[in-house]
Every structure is written in C-alpha cells, then in structure tokens.
Amino acid sequence: MAGHFEPLAGGGAAVALDEVEISILRSLAVQLLELIGPGEEHGPDAADPLARLFAEGPSEPPADPALARLFPEAYGEPGTEQDRQQRAHAAEFRRYTETDLRARKREDALAMVRSLDSLSVAGDQAAVLRLDPDQCRQWLGALNDLRLTIGTRLEVTEEDDGEALFRLPDEDPRKPMVMAYLWLGGLQETLVEALMP
C-alpha cells in the first residue's frame, strides 16, 4: 500500500503516507486554496442561498496562467481568433459557472487538508489514510487541480507531456516541483485504478 492507493472493501480507497508525504500534500493543497482564493461564500450574501444562486462571477478569464488552466475558456482559447459572438458566449458562460467551479475546487482542496489533518504518524511508521467514495472523488479533483497547476508552472503541454522534465539535472531548481508533479500523477493514477470495478 505504501505510495499508492488500494481499494477498500465496500468502496473507497486507502494509502499509507509517511510524515513527509503528509506534509507535502497538505502544503500543496493549502497553496492551491490560496491560489483559488476565498470565494463568494464569505461575502455579504453568504447566508442567502437565493442570492448565491443568482450571483454573477467574473466574465474575463484569469490573468494567472495556472488559474486560466483551472478555469479555461468555454469557447476557444484566449488569444485565439474568436468572433464577437463566441467571446460574448464565453463571458456569459464564465459569469454563471466560475463561482460554483471555484467553490467545488475549494471544497476538494479543503477535504484533502482535513483528511490529512486527521492522520497521526507515530515515529517512522506511515499512517493509513482511508477515504470513502465521496472523499475519493474530492481527492481526485484536488490531485487533478494540483497537477494542472504545477504542470502549468512547469510549462508542460499536451504535446510533450513533460518529457524534457524527466531529463532535468538534479541541480535544476525546478527538480523538486517535477518530482511533486510525477508523484501526484502516480497517486492520481492509483486512486483511479482503486475505484474501478
């Protein structure tokens, strides 16, 4: 089980994590929360569900490339040739969906932090993290968002899938981020496999 998820009887998955792994995952999830931001649920209309339902979000894509990857354009990529109607549709779609998408991504990252905080490690022993099916879904979302964010920072594209990153010398300052990117990919892959029937 060390280093990869395994299925649990009755649904869900489990993974053994040592103190360093817990610390790294928690730190990355907290950084993701900071990147996504606090959200509208902390605003003046937070207690009014009707106001939240009809609240409008931003109409322009985020300037930060990592956020733009987490909240992509619905109709074409920014900077490409789009007609006015496509831009209007993309702005309208973003206005009514990004706030909810941010809230879901925030909930996924918070679920990761909370489940990691519930673990206790004794000495050199690894702690076993057990996730129910709902927690697995949230972890999959958070792992995916972390990989997208780190991959964007590393300038990984769909065409090269980061092949050049495998050949980075150890002294390259990007090496720790590359190792985290690869490790998160392994966790994500084994979690998906553990949930397959």
Side-chain angles (χ1 to χ4, degrees), residues 38-48 51-52:
E40 300 299 319
E41 61 270 14
H42 299 292
D45 295 328
D48 183 356
R52 283 197 321 264

Side-chain angles (χ1 to χ4, degrees), residues 55-172:
E56 293 185 16
S59 59
E60 294 296 320
D64 183 309
L67 282 174
R69 185 71 177 102
L70 291 175
F71 307 105
E73 282 289 278
Y75 302 96
E77 289 298 313
T80 61
E81 226 17 75
Q82 293 178 317
D83 64 26
R84 291 179 67 192
Q85 188 174 14
Q86 279 182 314
R87 285 193 301 274
H89 289 311
E92 189 77 1
F93 184 81
R94 182 178 296 280
R95 184 177 298 119
Y96 292 108
T97 60
E98 186 172 314
T99 300
D100 287 341
L101 184 57
R102 279 182 186 264
R104 186 180 57 76
K105 290 180 180 298
R106 200 174 299 106
E107 289 168 13
D108 291 348
L110 274 171
M112 178 181 273
V113 170
R114 288 182 184 129
S115 59
L116 292 168
D117 285 349
S118 72
L119 297 176
S120 59
V121 179
D124 291 343
Q125 299 296 316
V128 177
L129 174 68
R130 289 176 176 81
L131 303 174
D132 64 35
D134 287 337
Q135 291 171 315
C136 287
R137 183 205 54 80
Q138 290 179 304
W139 265 70
L140 280 173
L143 287 169
N144 188 60
D145 291 342
L146 286 170
R147 289 197 76 236
L148 285 173
T149 301
I150 294 171
T152 301
R153 297 287 190 239
L154 291 170
E155 298 179 350
V156 174
T157 63
E158 289 180 26
E159 292 77 34
D160 69 11
D161 197 29
E163 284 297 320
L165 298 176
F166 290 105
R167 295 184 295 276
L168 284 178
D170 288 341
E171 59 274 4
D172 191 298

